[in-house]
Amino acid sequence: MLPITGLPEFGPGDDLAAALAAAAPWLADGDVVVVTSKVVSKVEGRLVRVEPGADREATRQRAIDAETVRLLARRGPLKIVQTRQGWVVAAAGIDASNVAADTLVLLPEDADASARRLRARLRELAGVDVAVVVSDTFGRTWREGLTDVAVGSAGITALDDHRGAVDAHGNRLETTRVAVVDELASAADLVKGKLAGVPVAVVRGLPVARPADGADEGTRPLVRLPADDLFPYGSRDLVGSRAPAADLVPRPGDREAAAAAFRVASAALPEFPVVLRHGGEGDGAVDVHLPDAVTTTSALNAGALVGAAIVQLHAEGWATRWEPAPGAGGTSLVGRLWLGGPAL
């Protein structure tokens, strides 16, 4: 890991590649250039100005909300969110350190595209074929301490897929995929550091797997899809994160999902005993009925179960909308539950 020292303070419009080529004339083919995302954001103008007299923290919170597509968890002012780029990160990756007091730094709009541009420009200026990784500092679930990970890359395969290979003991690997670009980002940070003022480092000597022609996906393969995410919400934030969906896209399995959700709700709320039935025509709507005419007690019990079932469906990735039956007295119909997905 080789630090690139002597770089200037960067600002909007600066030529990052030219500065790197001048400061590191020793760049060579096969090197991996790891650049802190803050530098990329600065030269691309991904900055938020804190107006004179404005509260910096209030400005930061507004910027976090603007960069958020899904709130996963919160504690006081701390928010864990999913950004438009797909990253799950504290404060939407907005940085208030190593920057002037009247400025906040956002994550790059598209760090993969930034990495591709930087790689092409270095080839143009220095005549070298390097890979580029754009790194940012993330916390980690269930572990203290921060580490750098990749939020953008070019000229390198992000995941080294070992699935299907056989180890020395004859075991076939089923799930092993190594996040190579994350490991490179973390390794490079050992010589960059947060306080040393060195935002770029080079990793040399690692055989780099190149993407197939036209198949440079950058860091997109690192984003875990909702269907594979076992921890999509903080437990305290699941209810608050749900909102009724106005536009639903029909999705197979709605009746089965509703049945499973009502089973979970019934097991979780034994103090609200009620018998209900439900069904639909595969049109994204499930009608919920009580076996007899609705009474006050049965309506309260059914309401508790429906509410719990809706939250469970949301946790499973379904978007929902509940329509209570008008004038339920004298009929067994409680209401109609619309399902679609996936919920974001």
Side-chain angles (χ1 to χ4, degrees):
M1 283 80 74
L2 308 170
I4 297 181
T5 58
L7 293 171
E9 181 69 26
F10 290 98
D14 286 347
D15 191 336
L16 174 59
L20 296 181
W26 40 264
L27 281 174
D29 291 349
D31 285 349
V32 181
V33 178
V34 183
V35 185
T36 303
S37 65
K38 182 179 295 181
V39 168
V40 174
S41 294
K42 284 182 176 180
V43 299
E44 293 180 350
R46 288 279 289 165
L47 307 172
V48 173
R49 175 173 166 77
V50 181
E51 296 298 331
D55 183 273
R56 195 182 195 211
E57 177 59 20
T59 303
R60 190 176 76 96
Q61 290 297 327
R62 287 193 295 271
I64 293 170
D65 292 342
E67 294 294 306
T68 295
V69 297
R70 184 164 63 105
L71 175 65
L72 280 74
R74 76 183 98 193
R75 178 177 295 172
L78 174 63
K79 297 176 182 176
I80 308 298
V81 306
Q82 184 179 34
T83 69
R84 290 193 297 271
Q85 298 89 344
W87 308 122
V88 174
V89 60
I94 294 173
D95 205 335
S97 63
N98 289 320
V99 68
D102 64 349
T103 305
L104 301 170
V105 183
L106 310 179
L107 285 177
E109 184 74 30
D110 183 347
D112 288 331
S114 303
R116 290 192 294 268
R117 288 192 294 268
L118 180 57
R119 179 172 184 252
R121 181 76 170 136
L122 285 172
R123 182 193 291 271
E124 175 189 340
L125 294 175
V128 291
D129 182 14
V130 298
V132 173
V133 172
V134 180
S135 69
D136 196 71
T137 302
F138 280 21
R140 298 162 299 156
T141 308
W142 301 306
R143 296 179 71 91
E144 292 289 352
L146 304 173
T147 188
D148 267 30
V149 300
V151 295
S153 67
I156 182 172
T157 300
L159 286 174
D160 190 1
D161 195 342
H162 296 287
R163 291 175 299 180
V166 177
D167 67 16
H169 300 281
N171 302 303
R172 185 172 298 277
L173 303 181
E174 302 290 344
T175 61
T176 304
R177 292 189 294 168
V178 179
V180 176
V181 290
D182 283 345
E183 294 186 325
L184 286 166
S186 184
D189 194 52
L190 293 173
V191 297
K192 288 192 291 152
K194 307 301 178 211
L195 300 176
V198 179
V200 186
V202 172
V203 179
R204 174 171 289 174
L206 178 74
V208 172
R210 299 289 193 186
D213 289 343
D216 195 344
E217 298 180 285
T219 53
R220 300 310 300 169
L222 299 177
V223 178
R224 177 161 284 166
L225 299 177
D228 299 324
D229 188 357
L230 294 180
F231 312 100
Y233 299 99
S235 59
R236 294 177 302 178
D237 300 281
L238 179 58
V239 173
S241 65
R242 184 200 169 262
D247 299 317
L248 295 173
V249 177
R251 172 177 158 192
D254 51 2
R255 285 178 293 179
E256 294 80 3
F262 278 115
R263 283 195 294 270
V264 170
S266 297
L269 299 174
E271 64 271 34
F272 292 96
V274 66
V275 177
L276 55 83
R277 59 186 173 89
H278 51 82
E281 302 298 330
D283 58 355
V286 173
D287 288 333
V288 179
H289 292 261
L290 292 168
D292 301 307
V294 177
T295 67
T296 300
T297 299
S298 64
L300 288 172
N301 291 350
L305 290 189
V306 168
I310 287 174
V311 171
Q312 177 67 17
L313 286 164
H314 174 60
E316 294 289 343
W318 290 85
T320 61
R321 186 175 70 251
W322 171 253
E323 293 179 355
T331 175
S332 66
L333 180 64
V334 177
R336 171 167 285 191
L337 178 61
W338 292 87
L339 290 83
L344 293 179

